Amino acid sequence: MDVVPGRIPAFLSDQGVGLLRAEDRVFEAMLGGWRAQQLARGLTVAHIEASCRLVGRFQQHANEYPWTWSPHHFDEFMADRRSGHRRLALSTLRSNAGAIRAFCCYVTEPRYGWIPFCEVTFGQVPAQVVFEWNAPRHATDDAITPGRRSLTRTELQRLFDVVDDFVDAEFAKRSKRWLPALRDSIAFKVAYAYGLRRRELAMLEYVDFGPNPHVAHYRRFGAVQVRWAKGTGGSGPRRRTVLTVPEFEWVVPLLEFWLSPEGRERFPTADRSQLLWPSERADGSGVRNFDRAFSRARERAGLPGELTLHALRHSYVTHLIEAGYDPLFVQQQVGHGYSSTTALYTSVSTDFKHKTVQRIIAARLRGAEAHERSADRE
């Protein structure tokens, strides 16, 4: 029989071998088997270790072992997590619940052999303790905090005007800060033009851009390969291709300028790597630098303090929807696995909503008039 990754180890299956501190040894073996099962699924080591630590924390909180866990142990654990001194985000609580649910799925799956072993050894068997009725709810109203929204077009214009004015002012003063300011200004516009996350933006390389054979006039900037997209469930970075769209074609000459001798190559570190955003001393500008630069620009523009660099991604989704793009296309552009996630990013303007309603009413009126004319002819 083929060995299934995560199956109960042979030394536990040998009934002739006695175990010292059997409960602890078996629980450690369960965690070890779960690690092997997750590795076989291609999950990242960081995700696996974080999940195992969380399950270990749950075991210590319950002071029980998986074959004696029950839903009330999970309820008490989550209640303490919610009421701790540090307020946890709902997304964190859902992640905690997901890890415990996944572990229980593993130890209750017959192919791994834990159920018959625990029945013989302890007289009890593991069971699932996380259900829809006791897990943190996944409601759209809670998934995105009020501050995480798209910028209005007026706010967006004000932000970009402020960063451009800052570049001009620093250049006029002959300040050495003008070049990093220019880099950050262009980076913010690229983030908006392609709907990028912060890490995706920071990890871009100039070789990631390429032509779109269907839109030749965009030349080498018809599309960008995002190689460091957010993974799901510990799967590691994913890839996606983001096309340059007509509403954002202004980014093409901007990128051409940045990759000319007058832009990126002005940095003395530009030849160290292929990263799109070189730093004054390091190979590339990191996420924290972009966060700080955005915060300073936001303050100078007088925008609400809760807005972050991620708001540019929300703005990209919203403005594509307002421009009439198919929601599935938008979903693929930003790399969302589910349309409901893309919907959370969309905060269309009141004017757009009114126009949409007006188009629907006008279409219905035209239909009613056509029906009346047809009835009159009959």
Side-chain angles (χ1 to χ4, degrees), residues 1-8 110-113:
M1 186 179 81
D2 293 337
V3 177
V4 178
R7 184 170 174 78
I8 182 172
R111 77 184 71 185
Y112 299 117

Side-chain angles (χ1 to χ4, degrees), residues 12-23:
L12 289 180
S13 302
D14 188 349
Q15 298 297 320
V17 176
L19 293 176
L20 181 65
R21 297 171 55 218
E23 292 87 353

Side-chain angles (χ1 to χ4, degrees), residues 187-367:
F188 296 157
K189 293 165 187 171
V190 170
Y192 169 56
Y194 292 103
L196 301 177
R197 299 180 177 93
R198 299 178 307 154
R199 186 166 183 250
E200 295 169 355
L201 175 68
M203 299 299 290
L204 273 185
E205 298 182 1
Y206 58 79
V207 295
D208 292 331
F209 291 92
N212 180 348
H214 301 288
V215 193
H217 69 274
Y218 289 163
R219 296 175 291 280
R220 60 171 292 197
F221 298 106
V224 60
Q225 295 287 332
V226 179
R227 295 182 290 115
W228 293 89
K230 181 180 179 182
T232 57
S235 63
R238 294 185 297 171
R239 290 179 178 235
R240 75 176 187 277
T241 300
V242 184
L243 301 178
T244 305
V245 298
E247 281 67 25
F248 299 99
E249 62 184 9
W250 47 260
V251 78
V252 172
L254 194 65
L255 285 166
E256 288 177 333
F257 163 76
W258 181 243
L259 292 181
S260 74
E262 297 302 311
R264 178 184 180 277
E265 294 179 21
R266 285 179 175 268
F267 280 88
T269 59
D271 59 351
R272 290 187 187 176
S273 74
Q274 297 178 338
L275 289 170
L276 189 60
W277 316 112
S279 177
E280 298 91 317
R281 298 179 180 85
D283 291 353
S285 183
V287 170
R288 290 185 179 180
N289 173 74
F290 285 134
D291 282 340
R292 288 192 293 265
F294 184 87
S295 295
R296 291 192 294 266
R298 180 194 63 214
E299 292 172 3
R300 289 194 296 267
L303 298 178
E306 65 269 13
L307 292 174
T308 66
L309 181 56
H310 198 73
L312 296 177
R313 179 171 161 88
H314 286 252
S315 304
Y316 174 80
V317 171
T318 296
H319 296 160
L320 282 187
I321 293 295
E322 289 186 342
Y325 283 83
D326 186 279
L328 178 58
F329 173 79
V330 179
Q331 177 185 338
Q332 293 171 340
Q333 286 280 93
V334 294
H336 286 155
Y338 302 96
S339 59
S340 58
T341 309
T342 307
L344 292 174
Y345 276 59
T346 309
S347 50
V348 294
S349 65
T350 302
D351 182 59
F352 173 78
K353 295 176 183 177
H354 289 330
K355 289 180 179 178
T356 301
V357 172
Q358 289 168 1
R359 284 198 302 267
I360 294 173
I361 293 174
R364 290 185 177 178
L365 288 175
R366 288 193 298 269

Side-chain angles (χ1 to χ4, degrees), residues 1 8 15 39 44 51 59 100 114 125 237 293 307 363 371:
M1 186 179 81
I8 182 172
Q15 298 297 320
L39 283 171
T44 63
S51 299
Q59 186 274 325
I100 297 171
W114 291 109
V125 297
L307 292 174
H371 179 72

Side-chain angles (χ1 to χ4, degrees), residues 146-184:
R148 297 187 67 179
R149 61 168 176 85
S150 66
L151 283 76
T152 67
R153 294 186 184 276
T154 301
E155 289 175 330
L156 197 63
Q157 188 61 57
R158 187 160 76 242
L159 175 71
F160 289 160
D161 287 344
V162 161
V163 294
D164 289 344
D165 290 345
F166 182 71
V167 174
D168 292 340
E170 293 301 305
F171 182 79
K173 293 189 299 185
R174 299 182 181 273
S175 168
K176 64 180 181 180
R177 293 190 300 174
W178 81 270
L179 187 57
L182 175 65
R183 175 201 59 207
D184 297 340

